[in-house]
Amino acid sequence: MAEQNAEQNPQQGTTETGERRPTVIADDLHIVYRVNGAKTGKGSATAALSRILKRGEERGVRKVHAVRGVSFVSYRGEAIGLIGSNGSGKSTLLRAIAGLLPAEKGRVYTDGQPSLLGVNAALMNDLTGERNVILGGLAMGMSREQIKERYQGIVDFSGINEKGDFITLPMRTYSSGMAARLRFSIAAAKDHDVLMIDEALATGDRKFQKRSEERIRELRKEAGTVFLVSHNNKSIRDTCNRVLWLERGELRMDGPTEEVLKEYEKFTGK
């Protein structure tokens, strides 16, 4: 994204001229997976998948058109929910924004460094939770001094020490929920230009979910942008001011949270 000439107001996510500052621009974005040796089946699930599969130019190669012509602009200070049926392209879109998937067509422009939860703060099973906090912080660009200052806050936020000194044990001894809470806590300890969270709030008890939702609101106030993928509409309502609804890789609706969720709930019958 081109450099901004006007100074940003960090509290409002705007420039001194009053314009909102974009963080992510998706311009007619298409993402295509190529699957070697893929075969279609007769079941209803595989039949549905086959509708979005196209045989590639090479024998035995099939194409999955996961994201189809998606365009949007996100701005500083927004928390954006991504909703849609399973396989609608939500996680694929996040990975494309993070620069992990190449575009078949179209472009993604970002202002600042996008951080995809679970990638920038990758955890290593053979190391202790303590070592993973340090390595995860370094991977996100934090200095050792910053990690030291925020270390206890990360551990307390995750809650993994509430029933013992688990932070000193190897990650392989953690449950999947404990690992997910620590991963979120490491990522949330840093102020992000763009933070993308894929189903993180689906793990842990309601107390941890509330802490997570509050941290997302804080990140918004600090003029970052948060993308949240979730099947929990309540979490979307509690944390997001805008929603993108994807179906079969296409952007079906983009607007204020309540408006989009109302239409989505009609669509799903929930």
Side-chain angles (χ1 to χ4, degrees):
M1 189 180 297
E3 291 184 1
Q4 303 290 329
N5 293 323
E7 291 296 319
Q8 178 198 356
N9 179 337
Q11 296 302 318
Q12 301 298 325
T14 61
T15 64
E16 286 186 345
T17 62
E19 297 176 349
R20 291 194 299 170
R21 182 167 175 176
T23 52
V24 176
I25 299 173
D27 181 17
D28 191 29
L29 180 65
H30 293 256
I31 302 295
V32 175
Y33 293 106
R34 285 167 174 79
V35 184
N36 291 320
K39 296 181 179 179
T40 58
K42 296 181 180 179
S44 59
T46 52
L49 178 61
S50 70
R51 286 196 293 269
I52 61 171
L53 293 176
K54 291 185 178 179
R55 188 167 295 281
E57 295 175 1
E58 301 175 25
R59 183 177 179 84
V61 176
R62 291 183 176 273
K63 293 182 180 180
V64 181
H65 204 154
V67 173
R68 299 168 173 264
V70 169
S71 297
F72 68 87
V73 180
S74 68
Y75 298 90
R76 291 195 179 278
E78 286 189 316
I80 301 173
L82 267 65
I83 62 173
S85 306
N86 287 334
S88 60
K90 304 181 296 296
S91 297
T92 297
L93 179 59
L94 292 190
R95 291 176 64 82
I97 294 171
L100 300 175
L101 291 174
E104 181 81 3
K105 179 185 175 185
R107 297 268 183 103
V108 175
Y109 304 91
T110 61
D111 182 22
Q113 177 60 50
S115 300
L116 178 57
L117 181 59
V119 175
N120 295 64
L123 304 182
M124 301 180 69
N125 282 334
D126 289 334
L127 299 183
T128 65
E130 182 178 20
R131 291 296 299 168
N132 273 291
V133 170
I134 295 170
L135 291 176
L138 291 173
M140 291 191 302
M142 296 168 63
S143 68
R144 289 188 177 273
E145 187 62 32
Q146 287 174 321
I147 297 168
K148 184 178 179 180
E149 291 173 356
R150 303 178 193 187
Y151 173 80
Q152 194 58 49
I154 292 171
V155 176
D156 293 344
F157 189 98
S158 72
I160 64 172
N161 265 8
E162 290 177 357
K163 296 183 179 180
D165 192 19
F166 281 96
I167 197 67
T168 62
L169 297 179
M171 287 290 304
R172 63 175 177 271
T173 65
Y174 290 16
S175 68
S176 58
M178 290 170 64
R181 294 202 306 273
L182 184 60
R183 187 160 47 243
F184 180 90
S185 303
I186 295 169
K190 182 177 182 288
D191 296 338
H192 297 269
D193 297 312
V194 178
L195 176 61
M196 296 173 288
I197 305 166
D198 196 344
E199 292 290 3
L201 301 188
T203 62
D205 56 21
R206 185 57 191 160
K207 183 168 67 172
F208 180 76
Q209 290 176 21
K210 285 185 175 180
R211 288 203 299 270
S212 302
E213 291 164 1
E214 178 58 33
R215 179 56 182 145
I216 289 173
R217 286 190 284 269
E218 289 175 1
L219 287 166
R220 283 182 57 194
K221 292 176 184 176
E222 291 155 4
T225 302
V226 179
F227 288 87
L228 172 64
V229 170
S230 179
H231 289 287
N232 185 334
N233 289 356
K234 186 178 187 306
S235 290
I236 297 287
R237 281 189 167 94
D238 289 345
T239 56
C240 301
N241 63 301
R242 176 182 171 190
V243 170
L244 305 179
W245 173 14
L246 296 177
E247 285 296 335
R248 296 186 181 183
E250 297 179 351
L251 183 58
R252 183 158 180 159
M253 192 172 180
D254 174 5
T257 297
E258 199 55 44
E259 285 184 20
V260 179
L261 283 180
K262 184 177 179 180
E263 293 302 314
Y264 180 64
E265 287 164 353
K266 286 181 184 177
F267 176 78
T268 60
K270 296 180 180 179

